[in-house]
Amino acid sequence: MSKVLIIGASGATGKHAVSQMLSDNVEVIAIVRPQSSLQRVYGHHEKYSEVKAEISQMSVAQLADCISQCHTVISCLGHNLSLQGIYGSPRKLVADAIKKVTAAICSLNRRAKTKVILMSTTGVSNLNIQEYVPLSQRVVVAVLRLVLPPQVDNELAAAHLRVHVGKEHPHVQWVCVRPDSLFDEQEVTTYYLEHSPTSNVVFDALRTSRINVANFMKRLVTEDELWRQWQGKMPVIYNSGP
């Protein structure tokens, strides 16, 4: 079964994820907000279908119905960079969605494990390993937790997979992808992966193109060896070169 459910498919990275999957002949079900349909772009594609819904308003049963058709769920959810998007409701958009996804997967009680790929950020530390975090970065992130709800949301989403799901869950396998400073690029370029950030993510952030993030997530879906390498981990992805 080569079918993927993408949540947040109409976002800046989600659109690339849809395109990357379809280009590799992977069937996609996209969950998009009612006002953000991608039918005009992908409606002609025989392997594309979409569900118009606010993920925060979907029930576990409704989400399970979508997931029942898929072997992988990808979350490209994020908060819009506006006052409403950052401080409005729902403040725990990503974390609540990931919790709902894993609850839906468990309700299906399938013998084969369902893969979950979460797009996160280098601002979220992997507490399962000893990551070096400079003091200046720790101070800034601590402040961000107080003033920017998306920081807490991203941390809670990753913690749900890392702590509550873990590496030996009977129904769920996961990878948490951590790009650094995101920017737009039209083509996939060379990139590399690290277990932890290699620079100060606040004062010396490196660059990661959204299309490269989407390409890596597509490869996690289609390349079994790559999935085995990173399953249960939080790889950091950087663009190569300037």
Side-chain angles (χ1 to χ4, degrees):
M1 179 171 56
S2 183
K3 185 181 287 191
V4 173
L5 178 69
I6 301 179
I7 301 171
S10 58
T13 305
K15 293 176 182 177
H16 286 300
V18 172
S19 178
Q20 286 289 302
M21 298 298 168
L22 294 178
S23 69
D24 215 11
N25 213 34
V26 177
E27 194 166 352
V28 170
I29 300 176
I31 295 181
V32 299
R33 291 174 297 174
Q35 66 273 28
S36 303
S37 173
L38 298 176
Q39 285 287 356
R40 183 177 60 82
V41 181
Y42 300 113
H44 67 284
H45 204 294
E46 64 178 1
K47 292 188 178 296
Y48 176 81
S49 60
E50 69 178 31
V51 176
K52 296 179 183 179
E54 295 283 356
I55 185 66
S56 61
Q57 298 176 10
M58 292 182 73
S59 68
V60 170
Q62 289 172 320
L63 193 54
D65 184 57
C66 296
I67 296 174
S68 67
Q69 307 171 56
C70 304
H71 64 21
T72 303
V73 180
I74 296 175
S75 172
C76 294
L77 285 173
H79 294 257
N80 293 327
L81 297 180
S82 64
L83 285 176
Q84 175 61 33
I86 294 174
Y87 296 104
S89 181
R91 289 197 170 191
K92 296 179 181 177
L93 171 69
V94 183
D96 287 347
I98 286 297
K99 291 176 182 177
K100 193 179 294 184
V101 164
T102 56
I105 292 170
C106 291
S107 73
L108 294 172
N109 198 30
R110 294 192 288 202
R111 298 182 68 178
K113 294 186 179 183
T114 302
K115 298 177 180 178
V116 175
I117 302 172
L118 170 65
M119 187 182 77
S120 186
T121 170
T122 52
V124 175
S125 296
N126 181 1
L127 300 182
N128 280 354
I129 60 177
Q130 288 188 325
E131 292 193 330
Y132 170 69
V133 182
L135 176 61
S136 59
Q137 179 180 317
R138 294 202 303 269
V139 170
V140 172
V141 170
V143 173
L144 292 179
R145 290 192 190 104
L146 296 175
V147 300
L148 291 180
Q151 175 65 30
V152 176
D153 188 19
N154 285 326
E155 290 180 342
L156 290 174
H160 177 70
L161 295 178
R162 186 176 53 79
V163 178
H164 297 286
V165 175
K167 295 184 178 181
E168 303 298 332
H169 195 279
H171 302 298
V172 181
Q173 292 181 327
W174 59 272
V175 173
C176 182
V177 179
R178 294 186 288 171
D180 209 352
S181 181
L182 285 167
F183 73 102
D184 288 316
E185 201 164 51
Q186 295 303 309
E187 301 292 336
V188 175
T189 59
T190 56
Y191 56 86
Y192 62 100
L193 305 167
E194 300 282 355
H195 286 276
S196 299
T198 58
S199 65
N200 188 311
V201 305
V202 176
F203 297 104
D204 189 28
L206 301 179
R207 286 159 57 85
T208 314
S209 67
R210 291 182 174 88
I211 194 169
N212 280 352
V213 175
N215 179 263
F216 176 48
M217 292 191 292
K218 183 261 295 185
R219 291 177 57 209
L220 284 170
V221 171
T222 59
E223 299 178 21
D224 291 341
E225 184 175 347
L226 188 68
W227 178 265
R228 286 191 293 269
Q229 178 183 355
W230 292 108
Q231 188 271 320
K233 299 177 182 178
M234 298 174 61
V236 176
I237 175 172
Y238 294 121
N239 273 32
S240 302

